[in-house]
Amino acid sequence: MTSALFVVSEEGYWGEECVTPLELLSDAGVDIDVATPSGGKPVVDDRSIDPDEVGEETAERVKDVHENDERMADPMPLAQASADEYDAVVFPGGHGTEWDVNQDRHARTLLREAVEGEDGKAMVVCHAVGILAFTRDSDGEILVDGREITGFPNDWEENIVDENDRMPDGRKLPYYVEDEVTAVGAEWDAELDAEESVRVDGDLLTARGPGSSHAGATELQRALGVQSD
């Protein structure tokens, strides 16, 4: 059976970026496990379940999965996960990833092994794309150097944080994803004029943000050779 591991933040994942791929891959018969940095239950970004922010339907769908899906309720610690056991590793985004997933050495190892392995795939969404700036390949080189990617753009970030880079919840954003990945050699294009943005470079798939979650998951289905019923 085709399998995937979801690496989800305990500091605030964006609901749609996790739930949409989770549901689409599940519908295609993919066996899914969930991991978090410490093994605690993922924490959803409150804004991503706010009907005024994302709409009533999306808010209710995300809350249902977050509260009732057994896989989300009982994740494994990242230190216990191995990319060799999965056909794909999925990194949903959310600002919270900047404080935990993107800085986690085990998350970086999973990403490297998924991309460098013979059969593995990695899908990285939105703010989780920041992990690419800090992940090295098995030769010690930056994994994303020269790769074509998309992710959460500076233009969007500037509409969220204040003049001191503080988010609505008061936390200071430590970095902008676009700045970090371009600084280490990524070929960045967030396709700001396009409704969706998904890039595939070898076994690495990146998606820009919530509105690209469905397209990214569909592309991952294609790469895995599975499809929804």
Side-chain angles (χ1 to χ4, degrees):
M1 176 181 287
T2 305
S3 61
L5 176 69
F6 276 61
V7 178
V8 189
S9 176
E10 293 168 276
E11 294 289 340
Y13 74 90
W14 194 266
E16 185 177 356
E17 295 170 1
C18 179
V19 170
T20 295
L22 186 74
E23 290 181 331
L24 284 176
L25 292 177
S26 295
D27 289 346
V30 176
D31 186 35
I32 293 173
D33 289 331
V34 174
T36 61
S38 73
K41 183 175 179 178
V43 173
V44 65
D45 188 317
D46 287 339
R47 292 181 303 128
S48 73
I49 53 174
D50 181 351
D52 292 335
E53 182 86 25
V54 301
E56 189 74 37
E57 181 180 349
T58 296
E60 290 303 318
R61 182 166 60 92
V62 169
K63 282 193 286 187
D64 180 59
V65 172
H66 178 75
E67 295 170 0
N68 300 312
D69 192 303
E70 293 181 358
R71 297 167 295 187
M72 295 288 283
D74 188 25
M76 73 176 78
L78 279 178
Q80 296 182 12
S82 171
D84 293 339
E85 298 178 4
Y86 300 94
D87 298 293
V89 182
V90 179
F91 295 81
H95 282 92
T97 60
E98 295 203 7
W99 284 278
D100 61 358
V101 171
N102 297 356
Q103 307 302 328
D104 191 287
R105 69 186 183 97
H106 295 106
R108 297 177 197 175
T109 298
L110 286 168
L111 176 61
R112 181 183 71 245
E113 291 177 347
V115 173
E116 289 189 337
E118 293 184 7
D119 302 314
K121 311 288 182 186
M123 174 179 168
V124 192
V125 186
C126 195
H127 283 87
V129 169
I131 194 175
L132 295 167
F134 313 113
T135 302
R136 296 183 179 275
D137 63 21
S138 56
D139 295 321
E141 303 297 326
I142 295 294
L143 182 68
V144 78
D145 185 21
R147 289 183 181 267
E148 296 182 356
I149 67 167
T150 185
F152 199 84
N154 286 357
D155 285 357
W156 292 6
E157 204 73 86
E158 290 167 356
N159 293 326
I160 296 173
V161 299
D162 69 10
E163 67 275 11
N164 297 312
D165 282 348
R166 289 178 302 197
M167 293 175 50
D169 65 7
R171 292 185 294 180
K172 183 182 185 298
L173 193 69
Y175 56 84
Y176 284 21
V177 171
E178 180 179 345
D179 288 344
E180 296 300 319
V181 295
T182 55
V184 296
E187 298 294 330
W188 174 274
D189 186 0
E191 302 174 283
L192 293 180
D193 294 330
E195 194 169 315
E196 299 171 338
S197 179
V198 176
R199 306 295 293 242
V200 180
D201 191 316
D203 290 330
L204 175 64
L205 186 157
T206 52
R208 184 177 62 196
S212 300
S213 300
H214 190 281
T218 300
E219 189 65 44
L220 181 57
Q221 283 183 330
R222 186 178 298 112
L224 293 173
V226 299
Q227 60 183 6
S228 301
D229 295 334

